[in-house]
Amino acid sequence: MYRYIIRRILLLIPIIIAVSFVVYFIVDLAPGDEIDAIYGNELSAERKDELREELGYNDPLVVRYARYMGNVLKGDMGTSTFFHKPVMELYFNRFPATLQLAFWGILVALLIAIPLGITAAIHQNTLIDTSSTVLGLWGMSMPSFWFGLMLIILFALKIGWLPPFGNEGWSSIILPALTVGVEQAALLIRTTRSSMLEVIRQDYLRTARAKGVNERRVIYHHALRNALIPIITAAGIHLGVALGGSIVVESVFAWPGVGKLTIDAFYFRDTTLVVGCLILTTAFSSVLMMVVDIIYAFVDPRIKARYTR
Amino acid sequence: MDEKLLLDLKDLVVHYVTDSGTVYAVNGISLKLNQRHSVGLVGETGAGKTTTALAILNLVPEPAGVIKNGTIHVDGNNVLTMSEGELQKIRGKDVSMIFQDPMTALNPVFTVGEQIAESIRIHEKVSDKEAMRRAVEMLEIVGISASRANDYPHQLSGGMKQRVVIAIALACHAKLLIADEPTTALDVTIQAQVLELIRSYREKYDTAMILITHDLGIVAETCDEVAVMYAGNIVEYGTLEDVFNRTKHPYTEGLFNSLPNIIERRSKLTPIPGMVPDPTSLPEGCIFADRCSYATDACRRTAQEDKWLSDTHMVRCSRYQEPNFNVKRKIER
Amino acid sequence: MAGKMKLKNKDSSFWGEVAKEFKKNKGAMIGLVVFSLVIIAAILALFVLDYKTQITKLKLAEALQPASWKHLFGTDQFGRDIFYRILYGAHYSLLIGVCAVTISTVVGSVLGILAGYLGGIIENIIMRIMDILSPIPTVLLAITIAAAFGQSLTSLMIAVGVISVPSFARVARAAVMTVRDQEYIEAAKSQGASELQIIVSHVIPNSLPPIMVQATMRVASAIISASALSFLGLGVPAPNPEWGGMLSEGRNFISTNTNMTFFPGIAIMITVLSVNLIGDGVRDAMDPRLKR
């Protein structure tokens, strides 16, 4: 089993490195650089160019990238030109908030999607089924930032139950988590439904009924246990997506996570911070998905057996 | 010989309603089975055998399957009118089924020991530990070592999987065992083991059995009675002697004739001409008339009725209204 | 006595069958109708409404009015009519949806077909590149690209286009690999057809269905991604009435003028919903498993 885990981790490393290069390369294409950001109009153009020569900003891309990665391995991802703090420190201060949002969001998504998906599958082609499909379709068509804003209007401003933004107190996470949850639930409903539909036709359910197992147990114990396997994989992907896509929701709710940090960095033309955030978020998103994949291997006895014997 | 009547199945009619038409799966059959006895239900694929078996457990798949008519009394109680709760009590306990395809009959995410134990836990008031102990015992009875109780189905061979299915079916000492082609998917050597297993178990616990198969040889070895099914009808029914030696129905004759004959060493096989009828549009008269060499116009027009030729022997063929009619097959003993 | 057999009409082609199935799907037809209406509205708006006077001119006297007969959806903080702005803004979403997806379909499919058909090193290289692009979360990748190319409609199109390339490449490659092993390819080769001929006349037409399904689904996500990026300030710049941007501006007045945020969002939702309905219809119509 450990060999499987190690192998997955090893596979991830080159991909993250390649991703970091792509990110570095694309951001580098943008006009302006750190010298402009820090000194702006304070220094003359010639003086800035001199600085660039001195500090190595005119070196070829690959050299600069190598230097950057070298620093990263030492734990230094540069210093934010706007916040004047190390990128890593800024990022990891905010990371727990984003993680929290992603987890609660997926939890909400699962709580919505699994019951709806199961019900739709059991009562296939009835009104319940069609309603779930419509609900799912509606969730997929609705921009999450708009939904978030509507929630704010309704619950925070009109009724005043919940805080509209920020992260103060436990009730702050409700609206953001709901926003993330509904968005991710839409697709999950479909996944759950089709997974259940596959399982429901299986012969082993007939064997269970012939044993005298009651219908509830047939569905929720015998069938669901099998249907959950692809659902968990999907949930893992959704978790990664929620983590990476947190920018939008965090913007809407001014949620102090890494997403907001990234977009702020972008507004302030803080390239060092932007690059750092992008790389770290991608890395964590991939790691999270890998962790879920590994859990999936434990859950499906067929895969577990393959790697333990 | 005062044996209890265990199964009394009367006038069963089962249809499957689908988008592309209604499948007339079972069209008015009746069957009686006493305790300790076994009947072989013989017929080709699609004859309605599995549907009949499922009906006895009231497990005909709901959205498409409809039981249009009939009563099925198991130990005096009509299975078709029981509540779901009552049905769950008898399934796996009074009536057990061994399914045809061992590859798909077991749940891949639970261990085989657990799947056997579940049956025991449902029907007997015992602790989890005790249920598991008995499950392991069952495994050994079917010839699987106890160490495999915590294995998952995919870790077992086809033959072992089938034996697990049998273990599940026998775990609660059913009164009536329905075995749906239990050996079809297995090697010949395993077949013999499996049949022996079932036989010794039945002897020990006085279990009655319905053995569904298309193999007449197996029927000869294991059953007391035979019911021959064709297109949802039981066309002939009787003791082993009746059906094998005093064959009456042309279809049954055809089945025997199409078997390779080692003794007489005929070079050509004689299959039954024609094809099984489309179950969505069955003819009005005799369903076998198309392929029957004895068929008359009257056969094709009139619906067939059961004719009892003796206490034990029934045939559904209108030509037996005629006094001297008989099919050619005669075994001189 | 054979049962009833449905004889296939020799003239019914694959696409004819698909169209027929599609028409049977009520949801899909509704989607088609609504989407057509959106297209018509967009075109009309471009010709009928005047950009300078109706869309961008500041009329502070009429600022922040609620919905009324004069201004169907009310006015924004500069007195601009929201209804007209929404109509005018339709063409951005449609353009991006269609163009971006066209880019990703063409680029992704070509890459995928090449990878699937040629195999070997080329396949490896292409798929590794796709593997590198995939883990980058969609919005992040789009931001990165939009950042590099500046704020404009074009950069938005490129960003949204690039996002979807990996999924098209995968779908195309899978389709090609299935087709490649079919017997009619062997038959064509044995009759002397060149590789190019085979690709053009056999591989591409038979790989089309899953690619088409993917394309219709991607248009929907492209429209949402585009409006999300504009919402974040990375897309079409103000004062252009892109729906996402309008939502972003409306935020500042969220407690007093909810119409500024409500209506643009509804517009996005209706458009995307209609595309999703069409996409579902296309997918169901092409699903071989549903064929009778």
Side-chain angles (χ1 to χ4, degrees), chain B residues 248-265:
Chain B
K248 293 296 175 194
H249 198 278
Y251 175 61
T252 321
E253 180 189 47
L255 283 181
F256 282 116
N257 284 345
S258 56
L259 291 176
N261 190 323
I262 307 177
I263 299 174
E264 284 182 32
R265 300 244 184 147

Side-chain angles (χ1 to χ4, degrees), chain A residues 203-207 209-215 217 221-223 225-226 229 299-302 305 309, chain B residues 54 57 59 88 91-92 99 104-110 115 118-119 121-123 151-152 154-155 168:
Chain A
D203 282 344
Y204 51 79
L205 291 189
R206 190 174 63 171
T207 310
R209 289 192 184 102
K211 281 200 284 197
V213 177
N214 73 57
E215 195 59 22
R217 194 171 151 89
H221 183 70
H222 286 260
R225 190 71 178 57
N226 279 279
I229 296 172
V299 160
D300 186 345
R302 289 165 285 196
R309 292 232 154 198
Chain B
L54 289 174
L57 285 167
L59 268 184
Q88 280 161 15
R91 286 177 191 147
F99 289 97
T104 56
L106 296 173
N107 195 324
V109 298
F110 299 128
Q115 297 194 47
E118 184 179 30
S119 191
R121 260 201 313 252
I122 295 177
H123 298 292
D151 281 354
Y152 289 92
H154 67 273
Q155 293 169 285
I168 295 177

Side-chain angles (χ1 to χ4, degrees), chain C residues 45-56:
Chain C
L46 278 174
F47 284 114
V48 169
L49 296 175
D50 181 56
Y51 186 74
K52 288 221 169 52
T53 54
Q54 292 173 298
I55 306 298
T56 53

Side-chain angles (χ1 to χ4, degrees), chain A residues 5-187:
Chain A
I5 298 180
I6 304 264
R7 204 165 42 177
R8 290 303 306 268
I9 297 179
L10 285 179
L11 265 172
L12 200 56
I13 296 179
I15 291 189
I16 294 188
I17 295 182
V19 166
S20 67
F21 181 71
V22 169
V23 168
Y24 193 87
F25 169 67
I26 299 182
V27 174
D28 197 64
L29 288 174
D33 61 9
E34 286 189 315
I35 302 291
D36 285 323
I38 302 177
Y39 298 108
N41 293 318
E42 289 173 23
L43 298 175
S44 67
E46 298 99 28
R47 180 67 189 122
K48 280 196 271 190
D49 278 332
E50 273 173 26
L51 262 177
R52 286 198 183 100
E53 266 302 323
E54 272 176 61
L55 298 173
Y57 279 89
N58 280 342
D59 290 339
L61 176 69
V62 190
V63 173
R64 278 184 286 134
Y65 174 71
R67 200 184 301 142
Y68 177 74
M69 286 309 277
N71 285 333
V72 169
L73 286 173
K74 288 188 235 156
D76 173 22
M77 290 187 93
T79 309
S80 156
T81 47
F82 183 77
F83 293 100
H84 305 299
K85 285 210 185 113
V87 166
M88 281 224 177
E89 182 189 314
L90 286 168
Y91 191 88
F92 285 105
N93 269 338
R94 317 272 188 121
F95 188 65
T98 299
L99 206 56
Q100 191 188 21
L101 181 58
F103 268 109
W104 281 103
I106 294 300
L107 198 64
V108 168
L110 287 171
L111 283 174
I112 298 177
I114 294 187
L116 275 179
I118 296 180
T119 321
I122 301 180
H123 302 278
Q124 194 188 6
N125 291 331
T126 60
L127 192 60
I128 302 178
D129 187 13
T130 334
S131 315
S132 307
T133 314
V134 168
L135 219 64
L137 217 48
W138 172 72
M140 283 198 298
S141 311
M142 189 178 58
S144 60
F145 47 97
W146 179 77
F147 183 59
L149 288 172
M150 293 298 116
L151 282 180
I152 291 180
I153 293 178
L154 185 57
F155 287 101
L157 300 175
K158 291 263 196 292
I159 306 186
W161 279 347
L162 299 166
F165 47 75
N167 187 5
E168 303 149 47
W170 64 270
S171 59
S172 296
I173 197 165
I174 297 181
L175 290 183
L178 206 56
T179 310
V180 173
V182 167
E183 182 184 19
Q184 302 300 329
L187 200 50

Side-chain angles (χ1 to χ4, degrees), chain B residues 204-228:
Chain B
K204 190 164 168 199
Y205 292 103
D206 285 340
T207 315
M209 177 172 75
I210 299 179
L211 178 67
I212 297 177
T213 178
H214 55 262
D215 187 336
L216 289 162
I218 295 183
V219 173
E221 274 175 35
T222 53
C223 301
D224 308 315
E225 285 143 25
V226 187
V228 181

